[in-house]
Amino acid sequence: MALQVLMGNEAMAYGAVEAGVQVAAGYPGTPSSEILATLARLSRNMGFYAEWSVNEKVALEVAAGAALAGARSVVTMKQVGLNVAADPLMSLAYLGVKGGMVVVSADDPGPHSSQNEQDTRLFGRFAKLPVLDPATPAEAKAMMREAFELSERTGLPVILRPTTRVCHACQEVEVAEAPYAPVRTAYFEKSLDWVILPRTAAKKHPLLNAKQETLARLFAESPFNRMEIAGRVGVIAGGLSDNYVREVLEALGAEVSLLKIGTPYPLPEKLVVEFLRQVDRVLVVEEQEPVIEEQVVAAAYRQGLTLEIVGKRGGFVPREGELNVDRVAAALRRFLGLEAFPVAERPTPPELPLRGPVLCAGCPHRASFYMLRQAVRELGVDAVFNGDIGCYTLGAFPPLEAVDTCLCMGASVSMAAGMQRAEPGRKHIAVLGDSTFFHNGIPGLIDAVYNQTDITVVILDNRTTAMTGHQPHPGTGRTAGGEPGETVDIPALVRACGVRCLVEADPVIPTAAMRALKEAISFTGPAVVIMRHTCAALKRGGPRFTVNAADCEDCGTCYRDLGCPAIFLEDGRPSIVTDKCAGCGFCLRLCPSKAITRVGTAS
């Protein structure tokens, strides 16, 4: 073993490799993205398969197929992605697996980069699948290895649920120096047991229920659960919260009995009851929903134990947002009846410069949003802009204000279609990125074509999945490992869906963009505009520009209407920050007084 400093997501990837994973699939999403990215990098030399799938459902099904053939597989996603993958997951729990299969669903309490604060542990209970909840990167790696073993022992997929702080924290972790060794050779043995017919589901449901008891007994002996008795006052902490509790207790100098739970579902009831019998009062500390707390209360009731159990019930622990030392300290202070907490004086950090949510300087699709609004205005159309998940959600903010709704991946197209049925007198426009189009935009487009819905779909193609770290997708012609892949042509795909009006343009060429948008918006029926220009973060170099004060008429088009962060007011006059400018040149083409000129090329 060698020590390496690894991010939690990297540690989980190394854990999968050490477990002999043969197939890895995933869809990017913060805070999970680096797990599959690391696996893809490692796969180049180790010979296992890794892919970025078009969405989480597909990724889970790829992993499931491999697991049914006896291979060890892992699928990675963020918590909202589990909603997309829920359909195969729920049935796979009944069907079971042969090779070990781990479903990593990373939760985002806070939320820092998500549409909600969904708790994957509840999904585990819903699907009746075991859940492991790591407290540190090192434990996440160990849990990954254990999850494969547990999966093969029980014949069930196992959910590994890290949270943001575990995913992104770094820690010195032991990494095996032995070469990669897959556990078994894949071979699918045909049987009706793998066909989820109604009679199969009816037969397997009692088996799945019985496994819940088996899992609870196994978890009672798990090294990821630790009990430390130090008096009649107790704290039960789940996953990452255990770290906060220990830090606060050390600062307080307080001694309480501790039960750390790393296997929140099914709860190791035998261990919990043993703990409850040795304390008079218990505080349950866990992030997000009271998953452990409710199971502890139920276990105490079943055993006839009468003791005080508090946590989120009673308001001791916040139910919303991410926990931290200060929030846990407040809960423990109240629980222990302490008046004051000896917090060390900390110097006040300087205020950070404010940075509002804004598209990058040089983002070509700032131009797309700008031109879209201009086209609607010039056509005199009353339009609703349905947006989608990704960088382009930022189009909602001033001065662009070209996103009126945003729900979930791919919903822009279907929502526009639904609105059109309710408001046939308005123009309903859907805006989504290229990766999102592959993820879940295609079914909505097919539906709109099939039902001849009068909507305009604008695909902002920047040749990558930018928001989560520039992962490739089927339109890029690259695979997860960086090798050349088959490029799926978006225009051909749109035509294959039956779209009769398809136009393409480069958004930073105003005349072409305006012409394309007007043609599509004026079309009656489903129409698609593909605005294609490579993401500014992938296209370094290029020309740089400046504003000639003598020619500037201070119309405000560049700094007020466009909102590019590279353009700001200096002494009341517009100026371009050369270091920020990405060289797209859209401002030069847009300036009505021709006051913006090229001044050279970035080094």
Side-chain angles (χ1 to χ4, degrees):
M1 289 284 185
L3 286 175
Q4 286 191 36
V5 176
L6 296 177
M7 181 194 290
N9 283 343
E10 296 172 319
M12 283 180 267
Y14 276 88
V17 170
E18 290 177 13
V21 68
Q22 290 166 271
V23 173
Y27 187 80
T30 305
S32 72
S33 303
E34 295 84 2
I35 307 172
L36 198 283
T38 305
L39 284 165
R41 176 171 56 79
L42 295 174
S43 71
R44 296 171 199 158
N45 296 326
M46 296 182 178
F48 62 87
Y49 178 75
E51 72 166 43
W52 285 118
S53 304
V54 291
N55 64 34
E56 297 83 357
K57 178 176 181 291
V58 171
L60 192 139
E61 290 161 350
V62 168
L68 261 57
R72 286 191 167 185
S73 66
V74 63
V75 55
T76 71
M77 63 194 73
K78 67 183 298 181
Q79 89 280 14
V80 289
L82 195 54
N83 301 331
V84 182
D87 192 13
L89 181 74
M90 298 298 288
S91 295
L92 189 64
Y94 281 57
L95 204 62
V97 294
K98 183 179 175 186
M101 178 175 166
V102 182
V103 180
V104 184
S105 176
D107 281 359
D108 183 20
H112 297 280
S113 183
S114 303
Q115 305 95 299
N116 61 45
E117 290 188 276
Q118 191 174 309
D119 192 325
T120 291
R121 298 176 302 168
L122 288 172
F123 235 121
R125 190 165 71 185
F126 185 30
K128 302 181 181 178
L129 292 176
V131 181
L132 303 180
D133 187 5
T136 64
E139 189 173 63
K141 176 174 176 286
M143 281 186 173
M144 177 68 87
R145 295 190 58 158
E146 175 60 24
F148 282 106
E149 300 291 339
L150 182 65
S151 175
E152 289 175 359
R153 187 171 179 179
T154 61
L156 294 174
V158 174
I159 296 175
L160 179 58
R161 174 254 191 183
T163 54
T164 303
R165 297 294 160 184
V166 173
C167 289
H168 290 167
C170 291
Q171 185 182 12
E172 211 170 47
V173 177
E174 286 191 336
V175 175
E177 296 178 279
Y180 166 71
V183 170
R184 65 177 71 198
T185 302
Y187 182 75
F188 176 68
E189 296 176 352
K190 295 182 180 181
S191 165
L192 280 180
D193 278 350
W194 300 126
V195 184
I196 196 70
L197 298 166
R199 66 177 182 178
T200 310
K203 183 179 77 174
K204 291 203 170 188
H205 196 184
L207 300 177
L208 179 59
N209 285 335
K211 286 181 180 177
Q212 309 304 299
E213 302 297 326
T214 303
L215 286 162
R217 286 197 298 274
L218 289 173
F219 283 166
E221 308 298 327
S222 170
F224 301 122
N225 304 314
R226 291 193 298 274
M227 183 166 64
E228 302 165 32
I229 301 300
R232 299 295 299 178
V233 175
V235 174
I236 298 176
L240 178 70
S241 306
D242 181 67
N243 301 327
Y244 300 139
V245 168
R246 289 177 187 276
E247 186 170 338
V248 172
L249 289 176
E250 184 179 348
L252 283 172
E255 284 198 0
V256 303
S257 295
L258 275 175
L259 177 59
K260 183 254 185 190
I261 296 291
T263 61
Y265 183 81
L267 193 71
E269 187 165 320
K270 180 183 174 186
L271 181 67
V272 169
V273 169
E274 184 183 342
F275 182 77
L276 295 181
R277 290 188 191 284
Q278 300 180 71
V279 295
D280 299 322
R281 304 172 62 226
V282 166
L283 173 70
V284 182
V285 183
E286 58 189 317
E287 282 190 316
Q288 299 187 293
E289 295 300 306
V291 175
I292 295 174
E293 183 180 337
E294 289 180 352
Q295 292 183 88
V296 169
V297 170
Y301 176 79
R302 280 193 291 272
Q303 296 297 323
L305 301 176
T306 54
L307 73 162
E308 182 187 7
I309 302 171
V310 296
K312 295 181 188 295
R313 308 285 182 188
F316 283 80
V317 179
R319 190 163 179 166
E320 305 85 14
E322 189 176 35
L323 292 184
N324 56 35
V325 171
D326 290 338
R327 298 184 93 185
V328 172
L332 273 167
R333 238 185 6 252
R334 179 182 167 194
F335 177 67
L336 297 174
L338 300 175
E339 292 295 326
F341 183 66
V343 179
E345 290 292 331
R346 299 175 182 173
T348 304
E351 288 191 10
L352 296 173
L354 293 176
R355 181 186 184 278
V358 64
L359 291 166
C360 298
C363 173
H365 296 300
R366 175 190 310 284
S368 296
F369 282 122
Y370 180 88
M371 296 307 300
L372 181 57
R373 286 191 62 86
Q374 289 294 111
V376 166
R377 188 176 295 120
E378 291 185 17
L379 288 171
V381 172
D382 178 17
V384 177
F385 303 105
N386 287 277
D388 223 300
I389 302 296
C391 301
Y392 309 136
T393 312
L394 299 172
F397 298 101
L400 299 172
E401 297 177 311
V403 173
D404 297 316
T405 71
C406 182
L407 179 63
C408 63
M409 293 287 283
S412 59
V413 184
S414 309
M415 288 184 69
M419 281 191 183
Q420 195 276 331
R421 296 300 176 187
E423 299 181 316
R426 300 179 82 179
K427 195 69 184 181
H428 296 278
I429 299 173
V431 183
L432 74 169
D434 44 346
S435 186
T436 309
F437 177 69
F438 284 114
H439 180 280
N440 242 334
I442 298 169
L445 181 61
I446 292 173
D447 185 80
V449 171
Y450 171 62
N451 292 296
Q452 282 303 291
T453 314
D454 183 20
I455 62 171
T456 304
V457 177
V458 183
I459 301 172
L460 306 183
D461 183 357
N462 64 357
R463 318 306 296 159
T464 189
T465 312
M467 189 71 163
T468 48
H470 298 105
Q471 293 84 6
H473 60 63
T476 62
R478 289 182 292 114
T479 66
E483 297 89 359
E486 192 69 36
T487 302
V488 177
D489 184 61
I490 294 179
L493 196 53
V494 169
R495 289 191 192 94
C497 291
V499 173
R500 295 180 181 175
C501 178
L502 168 64
V503 285
E504 302 175 55
D506 185 332
V508 303
I509 310 297
T511 50
M514 181 62 78
R515 188 166 54 246
L517 286 165
K518 283 184 174 179
E519 180 182 342
I521 295 169
S522 301
F523 185 81
T524 301
V528 173
V529 185
I530 300 174
M531 296 293 228
R532 183 177 296 118
H533 195 106
T534 302
C535 173
L538 295 178
K539 196 175 179 182
R540 301 293 179 189
R544 293 294 180 264
F545 304 93
T546 189
V547 181
N548 296 319
D551 297 327
C552 178
E553 297 176 357
D554 197 23
C555 65
T557 300
C558 62
Y559 64 86
R560 187 183 57 229
D561 300 342
L562 190 57
C564 178
I567 306 175
F568 71 108
L569 285 178
E570 184 177 29
D571 299 327
R573 308 294 292 180
S575 180
I576 297 176
V577 183
T578 305
D579 290 345
K580 284 188 176 181
C581 177
C584 71
F586 186 64
C587 59
L588 176 144
R589 298 184 179 96
L590 209 62
C591 178
S593 56
K594 307 300 179 190
I596 297 177
T597 57
R598 180 172 172 164
V599 290
T601 302
S603 55

